[in-house]
Amino acid sequence: MFQSLVALLIFLTVMMIVCVGIVNRKVVRNRKSVVHLIWTAVFTAACYTAFILVPPGWHRLAVFMDGLYFLATDWLVVYLMLFAAAYTDVHPISKIPRRVIGLLAGVDSISFLINTFTNHMFDLRSLRSEKLNLYYWDVQFRFPHAIHRVFVYSIVLYSLLILLYRLVNSPAIYKNKYSSILVQTASVVGLNILCAVVDTKYDYSVILYASLAISICYLALYASPKKLLERIHSTIVGDSVIGLSAYDNNGKCVGVNRVARELLKTLEADEDIYATAERYLKEWQEEHGDSESNTVGEEKVLEKGSKKLYLFVTYQKFLDEKGRIQGSCFQFENRTEVTDQFRKEQYIATHDTLTGLLNRSAFEEECRRILSQAGEPYCMVCSNIQNFKLVNELYGSRVGDRLLIAQADILKGLAGKNAVSARMYADKFSTLMPKRCFRRQEFLEKLSKISDMNLVSSFRLHYYVGVYEITDLTEPVWTMYDKAVMAIDAIRGNYERSISYYRDELLQRILLEKEILGEFDRAIEEGQFAMFLQPQVSARGELVGAEGLVRWIHPVKGIMYPGTFISTLEKAGLIHKLDLYIWECAAGKLEEWKRKGRGNLSISVNISAKDFYYLDVCEAFERLIERYDFDVKSLKLEITETALMENVHETMKALDGLHALGYEIELDDFGSGYSSLGMLKDIDADILKIDMIFLQETKQAKRSATILKNIITMAGELGMPVITEGVETKEQADFLMEIGCDMFQGYYFAKPMSIEEFERKYFEE
Ligand code: C2E
Ligand code: CA
Ligand code: CA
């Protein structure tokens, strides 16, 4: 009995020392109070053990050791109280009561130490138990010891009350935390009191001090936080936006949270969710084999009817220290929203929002991809609407948009597989397609169907299609596109043509244009442009005037004809500079002729349609009147009907202004374009200039002759003199004379010539 008590006490003391070691290594709340408490419990148990081991006859030592034991209990209860306050988070015991309690415990402790010599607290006597055959120390308490008891029990009572208060007021999960300490502390006190009352040989409550200290240590370390953590974990898992399904070592599903449940349901609507989860694991394992890595993640797509779910699935194995699988789990991260958003942004970044076709940059990338895999010839096809800007101006951008959408839809349908279409900008579309798929007739017919939509009733929709048959698949995409656009540029403005193929000459042409534009300003400054004159004669064969035609006397290339540079300058918006220069030459020449007595001769100058965009034409001619002294009627202004058609409103206004200044207008190239007789009604022109081109090269010369005859008759009736240009033969001249033409211009009479030559020829005769 005695030996087992000693052995138990020693064992518990060692256990407590181990506990201190563990607590010191772990992260524990209130570590200080736990450690203090256990150390005093160790000290108490050790003192008591030492005391009962004191042999009979060593009376003073026994009193000293027992005194130490009582002294230790003082501090044990003090630290128990401090621990209880910290453990329960009841407001910490403030400094003053703490000092008072410490002082009392100190006084009590000193009293026990003095007791070794005075025996005023207690005394001992050695008794022998015959029954147990051993000596033991019997304690005889003196009155002051009762004060010690009151002190100790009050503090214990206070500690118990704190614990009780917390026990009552805490959520269920924490009750266990307080109740076990409360019960154990109460048991210690109970047993202690019992031992005193019954007057046992030993104070058995010491055993409980030690076990209380150990269980406090355990609770502080694990009990509550662990349980709480478990609960928190399971709540987080349950409510998580990440789906989780967990499996044991045999692949049996042990849990599926709400999100995983919903996701897995998309695989199998009715089946047991655990079975579905297990099958999913099996399929995953079949797909991935026995992967080395413990965590594998990849993107997966689950199809739910027409809807797609984008998931990121992570599979994680949990191994023990020996590498055996303990369990595993799937994490399903639903990225559908993010993916949808990303796709939407990607779509916006790569597509034209109006038509749904690719945009420029995406087109280039797609072309590169297609061409890198191309096993057959390809072509780049560009298309756009003639004068699209006008559609927007006349009908509003909504109609313009509808036209573009219609065009895009047609291109989508025409391109087919292994092809791609894009809207490059405004009304410019481009399509890369296999050459065998491009059927020009079908392409044009489909495009012309847009006119049938009646979006722009009175506007004549004209499409241009430029085709570049790709010779080198590795050429930059933009070069291919530029070449297709070059093909269009070659026919732009020509209503009779809709489709044009790129030829290398076009590139030469473009280079030449660049050269022209680069040299133009200097050429004007240096006076490289000269006005040539082509005589105009009357039906009686008399010289009535001349048309001023520009020639570029190039220092290197020699004489360049307007055909090579006029359209380039028009496109570049520079023609008005040249025209102003020529008009000035003509006015200057007329002034000179007037002075020389040749005021009866006229000069006709050309006005480009583009002049009306960049110039106040009226003002320009008004200035000529101010600066040069010539008869206004002798400077005749030639405007083509196409120029008038392009900008009807503006030009009409300008014509009125020019008339008001006294100028006469010649309707140039009449009959060569889409002129209608109706135009004669609307346009206030003074002279009709008929283009002979439409008399030539036709098989139906007779019909043309009839038309020409009627035009001349009609012009006569309208009071408009007629001049025919391009007269090359005597027959033509005779015929025209016969049908009543008033004036003539053409190679038959004379080619355009320099002013010097003109003056020499006509003035010196
Ligand atoms: P256009 O105004 O119709 O000028 C008549 C063109 O026909 C001139 O060509 C002239 O040389 C040519 N021609 C004259 N008689 C005959 C003939 O019997 N047979 C043939 N086949 N052709 C004949 P050119 O000088 O090369 O001018 C071409 C065009 O350039 C002009 O056509 C005119 O539209 C434009 N142009 C010429 N000078 C100017 C100018 O100063 N300003 C502007 N804006 N355009 C000009
Ligand atoms: Ca002309
Ligand atoms: Ca003409």
Side-chain angles (χ1 to χ4, degrees):
M1 171 76 182
F2 174 72
Q3 282 92 340
S4 13
L5 176 65
V6 171
L8 184 62
L9 283 170
I10 293 173
F11 169 72
L12 288 171
T13 309
V14 173
M15 280 293 291
M16 285 191 285
I17 295 172
V18 171
C19 284
V20 177
I22 295 172
V23 170
N24 271 331
R25 261 193 288 126
K26 299 246 172 164
V27 181
V28 179
R29 286 193 66 207
N30 308 318
R31 187 211 313 259
K32 228 163 122 189
S33 66
V34 174
V35 170
H36 285 158
L37 180 64
I38 300 176
W39 273 130
T40 37
V42 168
F43 182 62
T44 313
C47 288
Y48 191 71
T49 315
F51 158 64
I52 58 175
L53 283 172
V54 176
W58 296 64
H59 175 258
R60 206 170 290 282
L61 178 64
V63 175
F64 172 69
M65 288 314 298
D66 203 16
L68 273 190
Y69 161 64
F70 285 123
L71 172 160
T73 52
D74 274 337
W75 296 102
L76 184 65
V77 293
V78 169
Y79 283 119
L80 177 70
M81 180 189 70
L82 293 176
F83 166 77
Y87 186 65
T88 55
D89 286 325
V90 168
H91 56 89
I93 295 160
S94 56
K95 236 181 183 170
I96 295 174
R98 223 168 139 143
R99 285 207 175 143
V100 171
I101 291 169
L103 193 70
L104 289 175
V107 170
D108 204 32
S109 303
I110 293 166
S111 177
F112 277 116
L113 288 175
I114 297 170
N115 182 68
T116 315
F117 309 102
T118 59
N119 298 120
H120 65 282
M121 301 283 277
F122 66 90
D123 196 7
L124 299 173
R125 55 185 176 151
S126 179
L127 295 181
R128 181 176 167 73
S129 163
E130 293 302 330
K131 209 166 88 200
L132 299 171
N133 188 25
L134 60 83
Y135 286 95
Y136 67 92
W137 292 103
D138 179 50
V139 192
Q140 285 137 16
F141 295 109
R142 308 273 187 268
F143 171 70
H145 193 274
I147 301 171
H148 160 77
R149 284 235 161 98
V150 171
F151 173 70
V152 168
Y153 291 143
S154 321
I155 292 180
V156 171
L157 186 68
Y158 178 69
S159 308
L160 287 174
L161 286 174
I162 294 177
L163 288 164
L164 191 66
Y165 170 76
R166 261 287 179 257
L167 178 68
V168 174
N169 292 307
S170 300
I173 185 178
Y174 292 103
K175 297 229 190 275
N176 171 32
K177 176 178 167 180
Y178 303 117
S179 64
S180 63
I181 293 183
L182 182 71
V183 169
Q184 289 191 51
T185 314
S187 315
V188 175
V189 183
L191 191 61
N192 187 267
I193 295 171
L194 195 72
C195 290
V197 173
V198 177
D199 196 15
T200 51
K201 292 184 188 67
Y202 302 110
D203 183 354
Y204 295 104
S205 63
V206 182
I207 300 167
L208 291 189
Y209 292 161
S211 62
L212 172 66
I214 292 169
S215 67
I216 282 175
C217 171
Y218 170 77
L219 287 171
L221 268 179
Y222 305 108
S224 288
K226 212 171 160 192
K227 206 160 196 182
L228 176 65
L229 272 180
E230 265 169 26
R231 194 150 302 177
I232 290 172
H233 283 163
S234 82
T235 312
I236 290 174
V237 166
D239 295 348
S240 170
V241 288
I242 292 181
L244 285 156
S245 60
Y247 305 85
D248 69 7
N249 56 342
N250 295 317
K252 285 268 162 295
C253 181
V254 292
V256 183
N257 76 350
R258 188 181 47 80
V259 174
R261 215 173 275 261
E262 274 163 25
L263 291 175
L264 288 168
K265 255 193 225 158
T266 44
L267 292 174
E268 216 74 56
D270 307 319
E271 218 185 315
D272 167 23
I273 200 72
Y274 281 77
T276 312
E278 281 160 18
R279 216 187 32 260
Y280 190 80
L281 172 65
K282 219 171 255 159
E283 281 167 15
W284 177 282
Q285 284 168 337
E286 273 164 22
E287 191 185 324
H288 291 83
D290 215 6
S291 165
E292 288 275 295
S293 136
N294 287 339
T295 312
V296 182
E298 70 179 36
E299 284 178 355
K300 290 267 180 194
V301 181
L302 286 186
E303 307 231 0
K304 189 182 187 181
S306 62
K307 214 181 146 202
K308 277 186 177 170
L309 293 177
Y310 296 92
L311 305 180
F312 191 83
V313 182
T314 311
Y315 178 62
Q316 194 171 6
K317 287 188 272 189
F318 301 98
L319 306 180
D320 66 6
E321 343 37 87
K322 290 190 178 154
R324 288 171 304 199
I325 187 158
Q326 293 176 308
S328 60
C329 89
F330 276 115
Q331 292 178 39
F332 303 97
E333 197 184 331
N334 191 347
R335 293 187 177 169
T336 311
E337 225 169 272
V338 182
T339 312
D340 281 350
Q341 183 63 25
F342 175 72
R343 279 170 190 252
K344 213 186 261 170
E345 278 165 17
Q346 204 180 29
Y347 182 87
I348 292 170
T350 53
H351 286 74
D352 167 48
T353 39
L354 178 70
T355 61
L357 291 182
L358 289 186
N359 62 19
R360 279 170 72 86
S361 51
F363 177 68
E364 185 191 11
E365 220 168 277
E366 189 58 14
C367 284
R368 275 273 66 88
R369 194 190 63 74
I370 292 175
L371 291 173
S372 67
Q373 301 166 357
E376 59 179 319
Y378 264 77
C379 60
M380 181 73 81
V381 183
C382 286
S383 54
N384 79 278
I385 303 172
Q386 158 81 355
N387 274 334
F388 177 72
K389 220 177 81 192
L390 232 99
V391 175
N392 276 336
E393 276 169 19
L394 293 174
Y395 301 92
S397 56
R398 281 182 133 200
V399 171
D401 285 354
R402 285 180 65 192
L403 270 184
L404 295 176
I405 293 168
Q407 192 176 348
D409 289 345
I410 285 169
L411 291 178
K412 273 182 226 166
L414 279 169
K417 257 174 75 182
N418 294 328
V420 58
S421 294
R423 179 174 169 214
M424 309 307 272
Y425 50 85
D427 64 324
K428 307 218 167 21
F429 290 84
S430 190
T431 305
L432 176 84
M433 62 201 295
K435 205 172 135 188
R436 71 184 155 79
C437 298
F438 177 70
R439 286 175 286 273
R440 55 182 285 165
Q441 207 48 39
E442 185 191 2
F443 210 94
L444 290 175
E445 270 169 21
K446 289 247 165 86
L447 280 180
S448 67
K449 288 250 162 61
I450 296 177
S451 306
D452 303 342
M453 289 169 64
N454 277 329
L455 286 171
V456 283
S457 46
S458 54
F459 186 84
R460 189 166 167 271
L461 273 182
H462 187 84
Y463 281 91
Y464 288 122
V465 177
V467 185
Y468 169 53
E469 295 179 338
I470 300 166
T471 44
D472 173 9
L473 293 179
T474 61
E475 223 172 3
V477 172
W478 295 127
T479 309
M480 298 173 180
Y481 172 71
D482 286 345
K483 286 181 174 175
V485 172
M486 269 180 226
I488 288 187
D489 287 343
I491 54 166
R492 201 181 294 284
N494 185 340
Y495 283 89
E496 281 157 30
R497 292 191 57 190
S498 288
I499 196 155
S500 155
Y501 284 73
Y502 169 83
R503 288 163 282 113
D504 279 338
E505 297 89 89
L506 285 180
L507 190 63
Q508 299 305 319
R509 168 84 215 149
I510 302 267
L511 292 177
L512 178 67
E513 283 189 353
K514 280 215 170 107
E515 220 173 295
I516 288 169
L517 296 177
E519 292 178 2
F520 176 71
D521 281 336
R522 238 182 79 194
I524 282 267
E525 271 168 35
E526 293 179 359
Q528 290 179 21
F529 290 98
M531 182 179 69
F532 271 41
L533 294 172
Q534 184 176 32
Q536 298 172 331
V537 293
S538 70
R540 271 181 280 143
E542 288 164 359
L543 180 75
V544 287
E547 177 175 2
L549 295 160
V550 68
R551 298 290 180 263
W552 186 342
I553 319 294
H554 196 277
V556 180
K557 293 178 186 153
I559 294 185
M560 282 166 72
Y561 288 87
T564 48
F565 55 85
I566 294 283
S567 62
T568 306
L569 296 178
E570 281 181 333
K571 268 191 277 174
L574 293 171
I575 188 68
H576 62 282
K577 292 193 185 176
L578 179 63
D579 280 348
L580 276 174
Y581 178 79
I582 296 294
W583 300 340
E584 192 128 10
C585 286
K589 193 45 65 184
L590 286 170
E591 184 188 64
E592 189 191 321
W593 283 353
K594 190 180 172 187
R595 258 193 282 115
K596 289 184 179 165
R598 304 275 180 177
N600 58 330
L601 294 177
S602 67
I603 296 181
S604 306
V605 290
N606 291 286
I607 299 180
S608 159
K610 296 285 177 292
D611 289 335
F612 294 100
Y613 284 111
Y614 298 100
L615 266 187
D616 184 339
V617 176
C618 263
E619 196 200 300
F621 279 99
E622 195 175 0
R623 266 215 312 270
L624 290 182
I625 298 174
E626 287 161 9
R627 288 170 55 195
Y628 298 94
D629 176 25
F630 65 96
D631 179 10
V632 182
K633 290 231 172 334
S634 65
L635 184 60
K636 298 197 160 46
L637 314 182
E638 296 195 2
I639 305 175
T640 63
E641 46 184 358
T642 8
L644 291 170
M645 266 166 60
E646 264 184 44
N647 203 353
V648 183
H649 196 68
E650 288 290 301
T651 34
M652 292 284 243
K653 236 172 72 188
L655 289 197
D656 286 344
L658 291 170
H659 269 139
L661 290 171
Y663 286 103
E664 280 188 351
I665 313 288
E666 285 182 36
L667 196 52
D668 198 4
D669 294 352
F670 190 81
S672 69
Y674 284 99
S675 59
S676 68
L677 292 175
M679 277 207 50
L680 284 179
K681 171 172 71 73
D682 299 329
I683 286 167
D684 196 8
D686 305 281
I687 300 163
L688 201 60
K689 190 162 187 187
I690 298 175
D691 200 313
M692 271 299 283
I693 303 292
F694 97 102
L695 251 189
Q696 297 160 351
E697 291 165 25
T698 54
K699 293 187 187 107
Q700 297 178 315
K702 214 166 160 227
R703 279 171 73 99
S704 299
T706 313
I707 294 169
L708 190 60
K709 207 169 9 185
N710 279 292
I711 289 173
I712 291 173
T713 314
M714 191 178 65
E717 280 172 19
L718 288 169
M720 288 171 88
V722 176
I723 172 165
T724 311
E725 62 177 331
V727 181
E728 290 182 342
T729 59
K730 184 174 182 314
E731 292 75 41
Q732 286 173 344
D734 290 345
F735 169 69
L736 288 165
M737 233 174 279
E738 203 179 295
I739 60 174
C741 183
D742 308 285
M743 284 165 289
F744 309 90
Q745 179 186 337
Y747 294 169
Y748 172 65
F749 301 97
K751 287 196 167 182
M753 59 195 85
S754 67
I755 296 173
E756 299 78 54
E757 198 182 338
F758 183 89
E759 291 179 341
R760 213 181 308 125
K761 184 165 177 184
Y762 293 101
F763 297 173
E764 291 172 10
E765 271 171 7

